[in-house]
Amino acid sequence: MIPTPFRVLDRLREGRPPRPDEVRAAVAGAADGSWSDAQLGAFLMAVAIHGLDAAAVRELTLAMLDSGERWDLAADLPTLTDKHSTGGVADTVSLVLGPLLAACDVPVVMVTGRGLGHTMGTTDKLEAIPGLTLEHERPAVARLLARHRLAILTSTPALAPADRRLYALRDQTATIRSIPLITGSILSKKLATGAAGLVFDVKTGNGAFLTDPAQARRLSEKLVETCRGLGRAASALLTDMSQPLGEWAGHTAELLATFDALEGRGEPDLMAVTSALAVEMAALVGRPVGEAELEDAIASGRAREVFVRWAEAQGGDPRWLASPRFELAPVETAIEAPRAGVLARVDTRQLGLLLAEAGGGRLGPEPIDFGVALRTRARLG
Ligand code: URA
């Protein structure tokens, strides 16, 4: 028997952690509207406070997955891979990584997200390309992968729709920062496309979503353990976000940085994280790719070519893509150090918030100003 919302919440009020059947009931109630916002908010807070055991996290993930379509794209492409980043500042990795691996004949499907707080999202960055669209149905995605080895999407209502409602409520109830809820939310969308392997780029440091390294490690372990438990290959890298990953942060600016990277002028830290993830993703699906192959994909121009052809196939304006023009904001302000010295610490989160507050991020309902950018010239040390 499916427990009613009242019975579930009555038990949770006693401080008992939610059971798998209660988790499934709440997610089903989120999807079919039979649980109210108040009931779901109370449920989410109970999970955030008391946590979930491994069986309940698995059930949360599966129930969210079952609320939408399952595409099973790896049935035709057994080396199909995806990666998820927990987000940071100047994290341009996805834009470079996708075409790079595709150019090495490793197919990549990426479900990307929008910016959140001080971090920017790949979905928003790609929307700065005129005409490009990110909501596509399964047949179109299969065609993109067959032709270009690359499909970059945003989470559509078809994929894990229960997560849409729960995520919006988590935002309102301060329950975003909960490892079991983050795990179910990320995995349900990623598993829905059916990539054969998933690599998680879990950021640590003061610009990360989870600043405490121990928490970041726990999240990475939970993601990998849950994913493997559901029969999907997975691994995680913990990467540093104690300074912006690249010199440029901002939507248009990061597209410029992407073209620079695909033309062989990538910034060292950005390229180091991108290569490490690419090598890991390819190995995970049994099609190992070495650094030399990645370098060749860039030096030969293949990776750039894949980006342009793929972007055209997803609606990007071909004339614009033939000679991309990016306009940065017309007003420039330089902030200089008052004296010479060694850079010992960067408040990365505050830099991300500054960029967002200047119009270059998603802090409220206002549209993003794609041209707003932040350039940090000095690196730690
Ligand atoms: N990204 C997601 O998709 N879900 C979360 O809960 C956090 C980050």
Side-chain angles (χ1 to χ4, degrees), residues 84 116 167 170 181-182 185-186 189 209:
H84 179 85
L116 197 63
Y167 196 90
R170 284 169 61 204
L181 293 177
I182 296 173
S185 170
I186 292 174
K189 287 169 289 194
F209 188 48

Side-chain angles (χ1 to χ4, degrees), residues 236-311:
L237 301 187
L238 289 175
T239 67
D240 182 41
M241 193 36 77
S242 53
Q243 61 184 330
L245 187 57
E247 191 171 299
W248 286 96
H251 294 80
T252 293
E254 288 185 47
L255 285 170
L256 267 171
T258 300
F259 276 93
D260 279 349
L262 294 174
E263 288 164 9
R265 300 184 303 279
E267 293 165 36
D269 289 353
L270 172 65
M271 295 318 287
V273 174
T274 305
S275 304
L277 286 164
V279 167
E280 186 70 22
M281 288 164 77
L284 195 64
V285 291
R287 161 65 180 89
V289 165
E291 301 268 346
E293 202 176 335
L294 295 172
E295 280 164 23
D296 183 61
I298 290 179
S300 64
R302 287 198 321 277
R304 188 190 190 285
E305 181 69 10
V306 167
F307 184 96
V308 171
R309 297 287 156 250
W310 155 79

Side-chain angles (χ1 to χ4, degrees), residues 184-353:
S185 170
I186 292 174
L187 283 187
S188 58
K189 287 169 289 194
K190 292 279 169 182
L191 293 173
T193 59
L198 289 174
V199 173
F200 302 99
D201 177 11
V202 179
K203 307 286 186 192
T204 71
N206 64 15
F209 188 48
L210 296 176
T211 47
D212 172 12
Q215 273 210 336
R217 181 169 288 278
R218 270 204 298 284
L219 174 62
S220 67
E221 286 166 357
K222 190 48 81 182
L223 286 165
V224 170
E225 166 199 307
T226 309
C227 201
R228 287 185 183 159
L230 291 168
R232 211 65 67 86
S235 67
L237 301 187
L238 289 175
T239 67
D240 182 41
M241 193 36 77
S242 53
Q243 61 184 330
L245 187 57
E247 191 171 299
W248 286 96
H251 294 80
T252 293
E254 288 185 47
L255 285 170
L256 267 171
T258 300
F259 276 93
D260 279 349
L262 294 174
E263 288 164 9
R265 300 184 303 279
E267 293 165 36
D269 289 353
L270 172 65
M271 295 318 287
V273 174
T274 305
S275 304
L277 286 164
V279 167
E280 186 70 22
M281 288 164 77
L284 195 64
V285 291
R287 161 65 180 89
V289 165
E291 301 268 346
E293 202 176 335
L294 295 172
E295 280 164 23
D296 183 61
I298 290 179
S300 64
R302 287 198 321 277
R304 188 190 190 285
E305 181 69 10
V306 167
F307 184 96
V308 171
R309 297 287 156 250
W310 155 79
E312 277 175 14
Q314 282 196 207
D317 177 353
R319 277 196 320 207
W320 186 89
L321 284 162
S323 56
R325 294 167 301 284
F326 297 101
E327 294 201 1
L328 294 177
V331 181
E332 229 178 79
T333 303
I335 304 168
E336 287 175 11
R339 57 178 189 279
V342 171
L343 186 61
R345 184 173 178 277
V346 177
D347 193 336
T348 317
R349 181 167 182 273
Q350 287 303 322
L351 288 181
L353 284 176

